[in-house]
């Protein structure tokens, strides 16, 4: 069965630092990939998604992610983080049964 | 579109009481999902429906939990009787099943005393 790994459970950065959050899934084939963000006390919102085409995907709020098929990875990046990026970030993969398989999430804290 | 609408936003109840959570999915979406989120267990899929039919309820914790989707615009998640360990935020989400992209409601925060 498909599984998703997010390697960092907690990340602490200072404002203006660059961010990269890792996400790996267990097996290939055609996949739909997602990053969701959950701000404190709020619901999950879509940051960006990959279905096909250009493997470098741009999302909202300056985030981007790169799909590397050979590495089964879909890492999230942002060149310069802000205090308002403090949130939990979830990677997810759509499996063959159409369910989303979720990573455990990465809690990101940005120090002002 | 108003997005996925859940009610109530907050519910505080006593152990043993029945709890009913409600969800209105985005119009036109053919799938609906119920999730539970806690600090200890993270995000858990409880059940999902496709075209109003329950497809996978393997995440439903036990017989105290039940979910229904009588039509394309309404779903309920019922807990009877409720227990303190059911305290969590319950999210409803809807989607077009083929894409996998979920749209979440704002959640129902349940506290069972």
């Amino acid at each position: 069965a498909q599984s998703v790994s997010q390697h960092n459970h907690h990340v602490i950065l200072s404002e203006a630092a660059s961010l990269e959050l890792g996400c790996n899934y267990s097996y290939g084939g055609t996949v739909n990939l997602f990053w969701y963000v959950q701000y404190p006390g709020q619901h999950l919102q879509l940051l960006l998604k990959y279905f096909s085409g250009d493997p470098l995907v741009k999302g909202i709020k300056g985030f981007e992610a790169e799909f590397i098929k050979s590495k089964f990875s879909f890492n999230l990046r942002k060149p310069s983080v802000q205090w308002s990026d403090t949130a939990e970030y979830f990677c997810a993969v759509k499996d063959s049964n159409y369910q989303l398989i979720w990573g455990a999430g990465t809690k990101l804290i940005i120090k002002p | 579109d108003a997005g996925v609408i859940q009610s109530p936003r907050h519910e505080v109840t006593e152990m043993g009481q029945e709890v009913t959570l409600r969800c209105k999915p985005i119009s036109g979406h053919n799938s609906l999902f119920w999730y539970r989120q806690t600090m200890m267990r993270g995000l858990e899929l409880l059940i999902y429906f496709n075209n109003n039919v329950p497809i996978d309820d393997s995440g439903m914790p036990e017989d105290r939990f039940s979910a229904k989707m009588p039509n394309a615009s309404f779903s309920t998640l019922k807990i009877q009787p409720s227990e303190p360990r059911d305290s969590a935020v319950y999210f409803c989400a809807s989607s077009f099943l083929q894409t996998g992209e979920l749209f979440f409601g704002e959640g129902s925060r349940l506290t069972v005393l």
Side-chain angles (χ1 to χ4, degrees):
Chain A
Q2 182 71 271
S3 64
V4 178
S5 296
Q6 291 184 242
H7 311 297
N8 307 102
H9 294 297
H10 294 87
V11 173
I12 302 174
L13 295 172
S14 298
E15 276 195 314
S18 64
L19 170 71
E20 181 160 3
L21 301 182
C23 173
N24 287 90
Y25 57 97
S26 56
Y27 65 84
T30 302
V31 290
N32 290 2
L33 300 159
F34 305 86
W35 276 98
Y36 281 81
V37 60
Q38 187 176 28
Y39 297 104
Q42 296 189 25
H43 61 290
L44 282 82
Q45 304 169 52
L46 183 70
L47 258 186
L48 47 79
K49 60 189 177 187
Y50 173 79
F51 289 174
S52 64
D54 188 343
L56 186 60
V57 179
K58 300 229 183 268
I60 60 171
K61 304 188 180 186
F63 286 90
E64 65 179 30
E66 185 174 13
F67 170 52
I68 303 180
K69 189 173 182 178
S70 61
K71 295 184 178 180
F72 301 98
S73 71
F74 190 55
N75 292 354
L76 181 71
R77 299 194 293 249
K78 186 171 184 178
S80 177
V81 294
Q82 302 171 305
W83 177 79
S84 58
D85 293 325
T86 293
E88 189 161 14
Y89 293 81
F90 293 90
C91 180
V93 178
K94 181 177 79 68
D95 76 354
S96 57
N97 292 323
Y98 300 109
Q99 291 187 40
L100 277 195
I101 308 301
W102 295 88
T106 298
K107 287 185 168 64
L108 175 66
I109 297 173
I110 306 300
K111 298 183 294 183
Chain B
D1 199 313
V4 177
I5 299 173
Q6 291 186 245
S7 64
R9 293 291 310 280
H10 301 274
E11 173 98 6
V12 180
T13 191
E14 292 188 344
M15 184 173 64
Q17 296 298 305
E18 177 180 303
V19 174
T20 300
L21 308 178
R22 298 172 177 81
C23 176
K24 176 178 166 54
I26 291 173
S27 177
H29 280 179
N30 60 2
S31 296
L32 183 142
F33 300 74
W34 282 101
Y35 283 88
R36 177 173 69 177
Q37 188 177 39
T38 61
M39 291 289 290
M40 291 296 294
R41 295 186 297 268
L43 193 64
E44 302 172 278
L45 176 65
L46 301 177
I47 185 171
Y48 83 93
F49 296 84
N50 186 41
N51 293 324
N52 313 336
V53 175
I55 302 300
D56 184 355
D57 65 353
S58 59
M60 295 285 262
E62 48 199 89
D63 292 345
R64 297 184 298 105
F65 284 68
S66 63
K68 294 182 180 179
M69 191 165 186
N71 57 63
S73 59
F74 184 66
S75 176
T76 59
L77 178 67
K78 184 177 292 187
I79 308 171
Q80 180 185 23
S82 58
E83 296 182 3
R85 61 191 167 127
D86 302 329
S87 297
V89 181
Y90 291 81
F91 288 104
C92 176
S94 70
S95 77
F96 293 111
L97 189 64
Q98 292 79 1
T99 69
E101 179 180 350
L102 296 185
F103 294 80
F104 284 82
E106 296 197 6
S108 294
R109 181 175 294 276
L110 173 64
T111 303
V112 183
L113 303 174

